[in-house]
Structure formats: C-alpha cells, structure tokens
Amino acid sequence: MDVQDARFKIAATAAAVVLAAGFLLLLQNRTSAQRPYRGPAATPGTPATEPGKTRRIALNTGPSDYPRLRALGYDLVDVKADPALVAGVPAGMQALLWVGNFTCGDFELGWEAFERAVQRFGRDPKVYGWYLSDEPNTGDCPEVAGEIRRRARHIERNAPGQISFISLTDWPMRALTPRRVGVDLVGLDPYPCKGSPETREHCDIGAIDRMVRMADAAGIPRAKVAPVLQTFGQSCTKGDKQYWMPTRAQFRTILARWDRLAPRPPLEISYSWGRQEEWACPTLADASGGAHPDLQSLMRARNTAR
C-alpha cells in the first residue's frame, strides 16, 4: 500500500467515526425529546405535586381527622406553625401553615415570630405553604395589603418551593392581586347556598360567576385561583344562620360551575371540615348521610378521580 492509499483510508475512517458520533447524538436527542418532562429533581420544601395536579384541603382539622381526610382523598391539612403539629402530619400529606389574620385583625404571628417560623419550616418537606390572610378587607384597613406583601416576599426569598396563599371574598380585590402583593395563590369563597328557609330549593350559583368576574377585573389570573367549596351550613351555630348545607344535587351544581370557571386549579378548598361555633355547623365532617346530605362520598369521588 502506498502512502497516498494509507492517507485516503485514514481520512475515510475518521469521517466514518464523525458520522457515527453525529448519528448517536441525534438518536439520543430524539429519545430524550420523546420522554415526558418531569421537572427538576425535588428539593426540600418543594411541594410534592405534578404540573396540572390539584392539591386538596378541608379546613379546620386536627390530627384525629387525618385518617378520614386521607380516605376522602385530601392531601393537605391546615395547622399552626408548631413543631409538634407539623411533625404529626402523616406521610402522603403536607401542611398549609396558618400564620395569617382575619379581615383587619391581628396576624397569628407577629413579624419576628413569623421570621422564626419561616426559618424553621421554610425548607421542611412536610410544609406545602403559608396561609397569610383570610378575607383581608383593604377598604377598612388598607395597610393589610402591605403586610401581606412583606410576608409573601419573605417566603419567596426564604422558603423555596413553598406557596403563599390568601383567601378573598366579595370585597375590593384590586390591591390584593398576586402581582401587587406577591402571593402565589388566591382563594375565592362565594357560598351560594344562602338566604331564608323559603329560598332553600335554589342556591344562587351565579354568586360564583360574580366573584370570579370580580377577580378577573382586579387582575387575578384564573390559573392562580383556588376555589373554596361550600361544605357547611349554619343550622346549629350560635351566630349567623344565613347559610344552609347544600343538598347533593345543589353541591353537584356548585362543583360543575367551578369546573367550568376554574378547571384543574392548583388548589381546591373545602370549607369547612371542623365545626366553628359562630360560623359553621353542620360541616363536611357531619355530611355523611342520614341527618345531613352525603357530601363526603361526592368529595371522595372527586378527590380520588383527579
């Protein structure tokens, strides 16, 4: 073999190696593109959820309720920022920490106590997020928006992967949008089964539409809306008696309307599981049939199917 033939064979071999490497790289990229994206690896503090999955919570619960809640398909519980309570959240569930205020009242934790709580729980995998305010009323106390913003920013900086949450009612919302106060999710709590005993055949389902339109007008993205479902009445409260427990048919209508307006929300809330002397009695804990409509079986089917 002369030198020219040897050079030709060496060049041909090198070209074949380059072509083979390129083919393998193309095949690898094609295979990777066909795999479903599962997001970054989980880190401490990252909620255990997949894109598009709805997290579900029934409010006002205690440790003795957790087995029943899990059987009904709930995967979140509300607790105070207490180490023993957080440690008691069972496997497969996470905590939404109540650290907030109601309307214009004081916050559950003052600022320094709040900072300590975030330092302690901001990377705890048992914690899903932080409930910063329930029905804040910026008409009566405009300063509450700034305090929510301050706390939401602190969570964003010091609790990676955990969410900040507020729940709104049909009061002015424009100062409380995610863009203005920095929260991740906003609950909307229209309770359509309300009125005198003579009206109980018909819940005002349009109340849901009206509150969602208020949120739209204020600038709250639908993707950040968390529906609050009415699972309570007031027949046995010591306070207001405006609301009644929805019947099964009425509750199905409530669910259908929310499914139309906010399909596949990141979070869905049932209010309430536990009784509240002034506000909620009976509740979902009572609603298993017999004396009260069986809403539990409807929620079990809903929670476990989605």
Side-chain angles (χ1 to χ4, degrees):
M1 179 186 298
D2 61 22
V3 174
Q4 186 172 358
D5 288 342
R7 287 175 179 170
F8 176 78
K9 288 192 173 186
I10 290 170
T13 301
V17 169
V18 170
L19 286 172
F23 176 76
L24 288 173
L25 181 60
L26 177 63
L27 182 62
Q28 182 181 17
N29 289 342
R30 239 183 116 184
T31 304
S32 297
Q34 292 170 349
R35 296 193 194 105
Y37 176 67
R38 301 188 183 278
T43 57
T46 300
T49 186
E50 301 87 40
K53 180 179 178 181
T54 300
R55 304 301 300 270
R56 302 180 185 278
I57 187 169
L59 297 180
N60 301 311
T61 63
S64 63
D65 301 312
Y66 296 167
R68 290 180 66 190
L69 292 167
R70 289 194 65 184
L72 294 175
Y74 291 98
D75 59 1
L76 298 175
V77 294
D78 60 330
V79 302
K80 293 183 179 182
D82 177 276
L85 294 175
V86 174
V89 175
M93 304 186 88
Q94 287 182 300
L96 179 64
L97 300 181
W98 168 249
V99 294
N101 78 315
F102 177 70
T103 311
C104 291
D106 293 335
F107 282 77
E108 178 75 18
L109 298 179
W111 176 251
E112 291 183 358
F114 173 74
E115 284 185 305
R116 290 194 296 271
V118 173
Q119 183 178 13
R120 177 157 198 157
F121 299 114
R123 294 179 181 272
D124 191 325
K126 283 183 173 285
V127 174
Y128 167 73
W130 304 76
Y131 194 160
L132 296 182
S133 188
D134 184 12
E135 298 185 347
N137 186 350
T138 55
D140 289 345
C141 49
E143 68 279 3
V144 72
E147 187 60 25
I148 292 170
R149 183 185 308 112
R150 180 189 188 196
R151 292 170 183 241
R153 286 177 176 171
H154 191 72
I155 290 165
E156 182 180 9
R157 293 168 183 156
N158 298 283
Q162 296 178 1
I163 66 103
S164 54
F165 169 77
I166 59 175
S167 186
L168 304 182
T169 191
D170 53 354
W171 292 332
M173 300 179 180
R174 196 168 296 277
L176 295 163
T177 66
R179 184 177 67 82
R180 289 178 180 269
V181 296
V183 294
D184 297 300
L185 298 177
V186 176
L188 298 180
D189 64 4
Y191 301 132
C193 300
K194 175 184 179 182
S196 64
E198 295 77 22
T199 66
R200 294 191 177 190
E201 291 184 11
H202 303 286
C203 298
D204 180 14
I205 299 301
I208 300 173
D209 300 71
R210 291 191 293 275
M211 194 174 290
V212 171
R213 285 198 299 268
M214 283 184 65
D216 289 342
I220 298 172
R222 293 276 181 101
K224 293 182 178 292
V225 166
V228 183
L229 308 177
Q230 182 180 352
T231 59
F232 77 99
Q234 293 184 324
S235 62
C236 54
T237 62
K238 293 184 178 179
D240 286 351
K241 295 188 183 295
Q242 301 180 65
Y243 297 92
W244 71 85
M245 176 79 76
T247 66
R248 282 173 59 88
Q250 289 167 347
F251 194 60
R252 287 192 186 98
T253 303
I254 291 172
L255 297 179
R257 186 59 55 92
W258 272 119
D259 286 344
R260 192 180 81 186
L261 296 172
R264 306 291 295 181
L267 174 65
E268 186 175 84
I269 300 149
S270 300
Y271 175 77
S272 169
W273 174 266
R275 291 183 172 189
Q276 294 177 297
E277 186 176 83
E278 296 291 324
W279 309 108
C281 179
T283 62
L284 185 58
D286 305 304
S288 57
H292 303 289
D294 181 10
L295 304 188
Q296 288 188 19
S297 65
L298 296 179
M299 288 310 304
R300 183 191 306 111
R302 180 177 182 82
N303 293 348
T304 56
R306 298 173 59 184

